Amino acid sequence: MTAAIDVRGLHKSYGVHVALHGINLTVPTGDVVGFIGPNGAGKSTTMRILLDILRPDRGEVRVLGHDPRSGGAALRSRMGYLPGELRLNGRYDVATLLDHYLKLSGNDRTTPCRTAWLPLAERLDLDPTKTVRGLSKGNKQKVGLIQAFAHRPELLILDEPTSGLDPLVQAEFLGMVREARDAGQTVFLSSHVLSEIDQAANHVIVLRRGEVVLESTVAVLRASVAPRITLRLAGSISPEVFACLPGVKSVEVIPSATAGEPTETTTLAITTDGPPDQVVKTAARFTVLDLDAARPDLEEAVMRLYTDPACCPRQFDHDDPSTGTGRTIR
């Protein structure tokens, strides 16, 4: 099956500033892929090239099997796009503007446009009679989401789609993404809210300083973070008791936050490379006052990549059909 997005050797500079350093990336058809990285990494530049809003200096780009530079309106009608900096014509009411967008997207002229967008407006609690210039930032963002989703495009390219939205609308958006995936649509989205990527995406592509440093499944990336076990034990316990156990990466002594405890306690934060079996068995030798095993966090894994891509674990360097693929780009 042809990839929805296939980019090879993509370069883009703005004067002396190099935005993209020959990046390669693939977005499988029917997948939800999170495109993440710090500000200035090149995410928006990449997305604009996919839409032919920007032209690359060199490299090969295929979107839905076509070069966006020659695909024209026919290719763009198969795509839904929400820019990171949304600008809307404030003179019109929401309904008029959405009707206009649906016509531009190639909507069948025999079908009233609002039958396509009205259910989404109701779902996102957007009043279509309001004038656009009077809308809040969050409501303008809803207009942007609706125009991207309403014509049910094969490919959705969404740049910071939940910017300005309240938590309830963010939850609705995630539902819309999951429904699009279930309908066979492809979603390529960037977000600084990594919990959204964790909930919505199957794969992630991490961009740093214009270079792709990782392509991975969400599950593999999350699994790269060592489990963290927090133990509160009665008495004064040496951290070396746990530090010498197989699989333990680090042991940190945490100062007690509870003043005036009747007995002395020791709180330890332990990270491991594997199952916590040996840690739990060793803890059973003492009086355990509290135990917490934190689920690996996607945000922690990604932040490590933002700051130091050399920390990418070896497990990303292979394809594992049971968990999905993951590979570092050195």
Side-chain angles (χ1 to χ4, degrees):
M1 184 180 294
T2 303
I5 297 172
D6 191 29
V7 171
R8 291 289 171 263
L10 188 63
H11 290 259
K12 179 63 181 177
S13 298
Y14 300 99
V16 297
H17 173 66
V18 180
L20 298 174
H21 299 263
I23 69 169
N24 302 317
L25 63 87
T26 302
V27 175
T29 300
D31 208 346
V32 180
V33 175
F35 192 40
I36 54 183
N39 288 331
K43 303 185 300 298
S44 294
T45 294
T46 303
M47 288 181 158
R48 290 168 184 164
I49 290 173
L50 298 177
L51 273 293
D52 196 37
I53 297 171
L54 291 175
R55 292 284 174 92
D57 299 329
R58 61 183 183 275
E60 182 178 348
V61 180
R62 288 289 181 270
V63 179
L64 300 175
H66 299 275
D67 186 336
R69 292 175 292 186
S70 58
L75 176 59
R76 288 190 290 274
S77 69
R78 300 167 62 192
M79 304 160 66
Y81 175 54
L82 177 64
E85 297 178 1
L86 180 65
R87 293 183 176 89
L88 302 172
N89 192 320
R91 294 178 296 172
Y92 301 103
D93 59 56
V94 170
T96 300
L97 195 60
L98 288 174
D99 283 344
H100 173 67
Y101 284 136
L102 262 292
K103 291 175 182 176
L104 287 177
S105 70
N107 183 66
D108 183 355
R109 300 301 178 86
T110 64
T111 304
C113 287
R114 62 194 57 198
T115 62
W117 60 253
L118 187 56
L120 291 173
E122 293 172 348
R123 183 173 181 176
L124 297 180
D125 193 24
L126 177 67
D127 184 350
T129 66
K130 297 288 188 181
T131 303
V132 171
R133 70 162 53 93
L135 297 178
S136 66
K137 174 178 171 56
N139 281 326
K140 288 179 180 177
Q141 193 73 359
K142 294 177 187 178
V143 175
L145 284 172
I146 292 168
Q147 63 82 28
F149 276 83
H151 62 293
R152 298 182 181 177
E154 296 172 52
L155 171 63
L156 284 152
I157 298 176
L158 309 173
D159 193 356
E160 297 294 337
T162 59
S163 175
L165 299 180
D166 65 53
L168 290 177
V169 180
Q170 290 178 22
E172 283 296 333
F173 163 74
L174 293 175
M176 290 164 60
V177 169
R178 287 189 285 267
E179 290 164 16
R181 176 198 62 204
D182 293 343
Q185 296 166 263
T186 305
V187 184
F188 186 52
L189 67 98
S190 74
S191 178
H192 288 298
V193 184
L194 295 180
S195 60
E196 291 178 357
I197 301 295
D198 203 356
Q199 294 178 62
N202 308 105
H203 290 80
V204 289
I205 298 172
V206 181
L207 197 66
R208 180 178 181 268
R209 296 179 182 174
E211 297 181 344
V212 174
V213 295
L214 178 75
E215 293 182 63
S216 172
T217 64
V218 171
V220 170
L221 181 56
R222 192 190 301 120
S224 74
V225 182
R228 181 182 174 94
I229 303 165
T230 303
L231 290 171
R232 190 163 68 91
L233 307 171
S236 177
I237 311 299
S238 170
E240 295 302 320
V241 173
F242 295 91
C244 63
L245 295 176
V248 170
K249 293 181 64 177
S250 66
V251 181
E252 177 186 357
V253 179
I254 301 176
S256 176
T258 305
E261 287 188 335
T263 58
E264 185 176 7
T265 63
T266 301
T267 302
L268 303 173
I270 303 168
T271 57
T272 68
D273 269 334
D277 179 66
Q278 290 298 317
V279 172
V280 173
K281 288 178 177 177
T282 301
R285 293 161 42 192
F286 308 98
T287 301
V288 180
L289 302 175
D290 194 14
L291 184 151
D292 178 67
R295 176 177 176 268
D297 183 75
L298 179 66
E299 184 164 357
E300 183 178 345
V302 170
M303 292 306 295
R304 290 165 60 225
L305 291 169
Y306 284 2
T307 56
D308 182 14
C311 72
C312 297
R314 287 289 180 185
Q315 70 190 80
F316 291 139
D317 293 332
H318 70 277
D319 291 342
D320 183 348
S322 66
T323 60
T325 60
R327 58 193 178 92
T328 51
I329 290 79
R330 302 297 184 186

